[in-house]
Amino acid sequence: MSTTAIQPHEKEIRDAEELLFTGPQRQGFAKGLFFGRFVADWVTPYPRLPAEQREKLDAVMPELRRFLDEELDPAAIDRNADIPRSVIDGLAKIGVLGMTAPEEFGGRGFSQMANCRVLEEIGARCASTSVFVNAHHSIGIRALLLFGTPEQKRRWLPPLVRGEKLAAFALTEPEAGSDAANVQTRADISEDGTHYILNGEKRFITNAAIAQVLTVMARTKIPGSDETAVTAFLVTPDMPGFSVTEPRMEKLGIRGPATGRLAFRDMRVPRENILGPLGKGLKVALSVLDFGRTTFGACCTGAAKTCLRLATHHARTRRQFGHALGDFELIKKKIARMAASTYAMEAMTTVTASLIDRGLEDYMLETAMLKVFTTEALWQIVNDAFQIHGGIAYFTDLPLERMLRDARINHIGEGANEVLTSFIALVGMRGPGMQLKEIWDALHHPIGHLKRAWRAGWDRVGAALHAPSVLVKSDALHPHAHRLSRLIWRFNLAVDRELIRHREAILDREYVQERIANAAMELFASSCVLSRWDADMQAGLMHHDRAAGLFLRESSRRARQFLAGLRDNDDEVINAAAEAVLRHDGAP
Ligand SMILES: Cc1cc2nc3c(=O)[nH]c(=O)nc-3n(C[C@H](O)[C@H](O)[C@H](O)COP(=O)(O)OP(=O)(O)OC[C@H]3O[C@@H](n4cnc5c(N)ncnc54)[C@H](O)[C@@H]3O)c2cc1C
């Protein structure tokens, strides 16, 4: 092993430091899993809304449901590729466009958990509308809420929170998609130092043409150095040099919100419009997307519930071969798995939102896991609901063809699932990787390293010898808790083994990363489900028992398979086959 073992390349470390919060933090749940720990406090007891938030939510939900029932026509929004102003105004009146903003700025002061219930309700009916709300509220005004100075908040937030102005978040460019750090839009300081002059293009921006306030990411020079870094700016469309080059790009699904292209030509942005620290735009962007990924989970959960309801009704009422479809095992399997996944999606969303509400500083892993897990689960659920309906699902009388089209963006938007999968594995493995490096350094240079290495070694050995305790209140759940504990232990051993086996090359081993990330996501999902099921049992709620039990059994089997795949796989054969096809430009 070389001394650089397990240490990511220097640039990647710098990028990671930029993206991750580096100050002292309490260990989160997902990071704990990679150390072989079950950090129980973050998932148990299953989070419930505090009374004051419950009251606020109870006051809003009937009004919201009534409005959505009477005024929201998802089919028309899809057909006309437009969300009517009356819908936007109605949502604003109910407070949806400023749900989590503090009351002093005119917002509702909702926690993220309560906000997720609102988004679940909207996501259950119309993905276009939930994407619009997310673009405005979850990512559009989030940077201001998190990083705005008191003066910026006072000036910009009130009209946005009231919905008089709309917001957008503009990061993506032709050369900066998944590689968000590759922003090419430049922001050069003016000679008198009062302005930044922006030049560049943005594409695929939700609300681009209808927003009055945009958070725009641009590359600035770091003072006193030749290097550049990304900075966030508050931009308004009345700034000379701002242009909408395409207001509404024609698209497959979520056709309601206007997704557009922007160009900036010598656009002067006042210096005081910098949002967050100069050069820390990626941190701003990633923090904002973190928040958006939580509401993604809520919207997917809502859509999954709709699919389950439609599929169940159809399976009970449609008869073929003298039986209801629900009598056939291949339909039962789909229905059971839809219910199991939906239960898990809701549990993961609730736990992840509660992490934000309870002040965990770094919840990037959990939000990334939630986004990947719920979007993949929803895709399967929509597809199963579609299949159960047969030919009738193909026609526009039912919402399923629209839901299928709408669900496709989820794998791509706010971080493509492949990129997030790698991110989960690499960020998760960083902690144990650093410990293994301490031990390695101490073996070769004992002076100065021994104390830290001793601690790291003790931690690694401890995790290898003992499965973590996973405690539940309900006796009936002990076997599930025991199985989860053993799996976390096996997962931790697998993480250490892969780090030692691949060393720094782990950065390029996406198959390994995928298996580690998938196993970690199953462990997180199972932990949330176990916690929720335990709370349900304690409260005497038994109607989800079967779905929860099925989820835990299947999730544990999937996790074991992912770990087994680290040893038994066709990775090299797949690489060789892909490279051959790539060499011949698509010819098999
Ligand atoms: C309808 C819609 C609305 C959007 N709204 C906004 C918005 O409001 N604001 C905004 O800033 N952006 C927005 N986006 C942009 C969105 O975030 C990007 O599309 C997304 O980040 C992916 O970037 P890309 O499309 O350039 O894909 P690319 O980066 O070109 O990637 C293409 C594919 O390659 C794969 N891939 C990429 N990198 C890797 C890797 N390292 N390993 C393995 N596979 C990889 C992934 O499967 C990915 O889907 C929107 C996009 C759409 C379609």
Side-chain angles (χ1 to χ4, degrees):
M1 199 189 248
S2 76
T3 47
T4 53
I6 314 154
Q7 189 175 24
H9 306 304
E10 218 178 297
K11 175 173 180 310
E12 267 138 347
I13 288 189
R14 263 193 290 138
D15 284 353
E17 303 287 292
E18 171 94 4
L19 302 184
L20 302 168
F21 296 103
T22 47
Q25 291 158 12
R26 282 178 289 168
Q27 186 166 56
F29 185 80
K31 282 195 176 161
L33 290 173
F34 285 84
F35 281 97
R37 297 183 193 133
F38 182 83
V39 189
D41 289 357
W42 294 120
V43 285
T44 59
Y46 187 66
R48 301 275 175 218
L49 276 176
E52 162 262 344
Q53 286 286 322
R54 156 75 37 217
E55 273 171 32
K56 281 185 175 185
L57 186 67
D58 287 348
V60 160
M61 285 309 255
E63 193 188 352
L64 176 67
R65 288 197 185 106
R66 199 167 42 249
F67 173 77
L68 296 175
D69 285 344
E70 289 169 9
E71 306 293 335
L72 186 78
D73 183 347
I77 287 176
D78 179 60
R79 201 171 44 248
N80 302 330
D82 188 29
I83 300 177
R85 189 69 222 191
S86 60
V87 169
I88 296 175
D89 290 344
L91 291 170
K93 201 162 154 239
I94 296 168
V96 172
L97 301 188
M99 245 359 165
T100 62
E103 287 170 2
E104 61 174 304
F105 301 115
R108 291 291 175 123
F110 271 37
S111 66
Q112 181 63 341
M113 254 173 87
N115 183 43
C116 280
R117 302 283 166 84
V118 170
L119 263 303
E120 184 191 309
E121 192 68 33
I122 300 172
R125 297 153 191 260
C126 178
S128 275
T129 306
S130 62
V131 167
F132 159 76
V133 173
N134 271 338
H136 169 82
H137 176 267
S138 290
I139 59 176
I141 64 173
R142 193 67 197 164
L144 251 174
L145 284 169
L146 284 176
F147 297 96
T149 61
E151 167 53 25
Q152 285 175 329
K153 287 183 188 174
R154 267 196 304 276
R155 178 174 163 207
W156 299 91
L157 274 175
L160 288 167
V161 164
R162 288 195 297 267
E164 292 157 14
K165 290 185 175 175
L166 297 176
F169 173 80
L171 169 64
T172 305
E173 302 180 358
E175 298 307 320
S178 301
D179 187 3
N182 195 34
V183 164
Q184 302 293 308
T185 295
R186 288 180 55 106
D188 299 311
I189 187 93
S190 63
E191 273 182 12
D192 62 2
T194 59
H195 286 73
Y196 278 85
I197 299 163
L198 267 66
N199 280 288
E201 292 170 32
K202 297 284 173 185
R203 69 173 183 181
F204 307 161
I205 307 303
T206 309
N207 293 352
I210 58 172
Q212 287 84 21
V213 180
L214 299 96
T215 304
V216 172
M217 299 295 157
R219 187 163 288 285
T220 45
K221 261 193 85 178
I222 298 175
S225 127
D226 290 338
E227 294 197 21
T228 58
V230 176
T231 297
F233 291 89
L234 285 163
V235 165
T236 55
D238 57 359
M239 290 175 174
F242 177 101
S243 65
V244 179
T245 43
E246 193 174 351
R248 279 180 189 273
M249 302 168 78
E250 266 297 314
K251 58 188 189 292
L252 171 81
I254 52 157
R255 288 166 48 79
T259 315
R261 289 178 204 270
L262 299 170
F264 316 123
R265 298 282 172 260
D266 294 331
M267 181 174 72
R268 288 170 70 83
V269 181
R271 194 191 179 119
E272 58 269 21
N273 285 22
I274 288 181
L275 195 48
L278 184 74
K280 294 290 174 197
L282 284 181
K283 183 169 168 175
V284 172
L286 266 289
S287 309
V288 163
L289 290 174
D290 249 350
F291 192 79
R293 285 173 195 147
T294 322
T295 41
F296 236 93
C299 297
C300 288
T301 303
K305 286 185 179 178
T306 300
C307 287
L308 181 59
R309 184 172 47 74
L310 292 171
T312 309
H313 178 73
H314 193 72
R316 286 162 65 112
T317 52
R318 168 76 172 158
R319 296 180 72 79
Q320 288 289 278
F321 304 103
H323 288 272
L325 291 180
D327 290 341
F328 298 110
E329 287 193 343
L330 294 183
I331 301 297
K332 280 185 183 153
K333 183 174 75 176
K334 289 185 178 48
I335 297 276
R337 286 189 170 157
M338 287 166 80
S341 294
T342 305
Y343 187 85
M345 292 161 80
E346 188 171 355
M348 285 174 88
T349 303
T350 302
V351 168
T352 308
S354 83
L355 299 179
I356 299 178
D357 293 341
R358 291 163 64 199
L360 178 64
E361 292 99 332
D362 173 7
Y363 39 80
M364 281 191 173
L365 274 190
E366 288 84 356
T367 56
M369 286 181 177
L370 177 70
K371 195 271 182 178
V372 175
F373 188 93
T374 55
T375 57
E376 298 286 344
L378 178 62
W379 184 244
Q380 183 66 47
I381 287 169
V382 178
N383 198 38
D384 283 348
F386 201 98
Q387 189 68 13
I388 288 171
H389 280 78
I392 198 173
Y394 217 75
F395 299 90
T396 53
D397 318 51
L398 286 180
L400 285 164
E401 60 82 31
R402 171 170 49 82
M403 293 183 81
L404 190 79
R405 286 186 284 109
D406 287 347
R408 191 59 189 86
I409 181 60
N410 296 339
H411 295 58
I412 298 167
E414 296 197 20
N417 284 3
E418 289 83 354
V419 177
L420 288 178
T421 298
S422 285
F423 175 84
I424 291 164
L426 292 177
V427 172
M429 286 195 287
R430 189 166 179 255
M434 298 304 276
Q435 283 193 334
L436 291 174
K437 184 176 178 300
E438 296 276 2
I439 298 166
W440 177 255
D441 286 348
L443 288 175
H444 289 78
H445 310 283
I447 296 163
H449 284 279
L450 263 183
K451 199 168 159 201
R452 284 215 309 267
W454 173 254
R455 245 184 275 133
W458 195 241
D459 197 58
R460 290 298 75 218
V461 170
L465 290 179
H466 303 291
S469 50
V470 178
L471 300 176
V472 280
K473 290 198 174 127
S474 315
D475 290 346
L477 299 186
H478 282 146
H480 290 290
H482 178 70
R483 194 161 49 209
L484 180 58
S485 155
R486 297 287 302 172
L487 257 180
I488 295 172
W489 173 74
R490 280 180 61 180
F491 173 70
N492 173 250
L493 289 184
V495 166
D496 285 356
R497 201 175 49 233
E498 294 307 309
L499 282 166
I500 292 166
R501 184 150 77 109
H502 295 286
R503 293 179 265 170
E504 70 265 32
I506 194 98
L507 289 169
D508 300 319
R509 296 280 175 273
E510 288 197 344
Y511 299 134
V512 174
Q513 295 164 17
E514 184 181 43
R515 293 186 185 103
I516 294 286
N518 282 342
M521 279 188 272
E522 295 294 350
L523 295 178
F524 180 44
S526 283
S527 304
C528 298
V529 166
L530 188 63
S531 171
R532 181 180 177 192
W533 194 12
D534 197 24
D536 283 354
M537 273 197 179
Q538 294 298 305
L541 301 170
M542 312 300 265
H543 54 285
H544 289 307
D545 272 9
R546 307 276 181 190
L550 174 64
F551 184 84
L552 289 182
R553 290 182 70 86
E554 294 206 323
S555 174
S556 146
R557 181 168 295 116
R558 285 192 296 268
R560 287 197 305 273
Q561 281 165 355
F562 290 132
L563 296 182
L566 290 166
R567 289 297 178 90
D568 180 14
N569 57 61
D570 296 320
D571 294 353
E572 296 313 318
V573 183
I574 293 171
N575 275 346
E579 281 155 20
V581 178
L582 287 164
R583 251 194 322 274
H584 296 103
D585 215 10

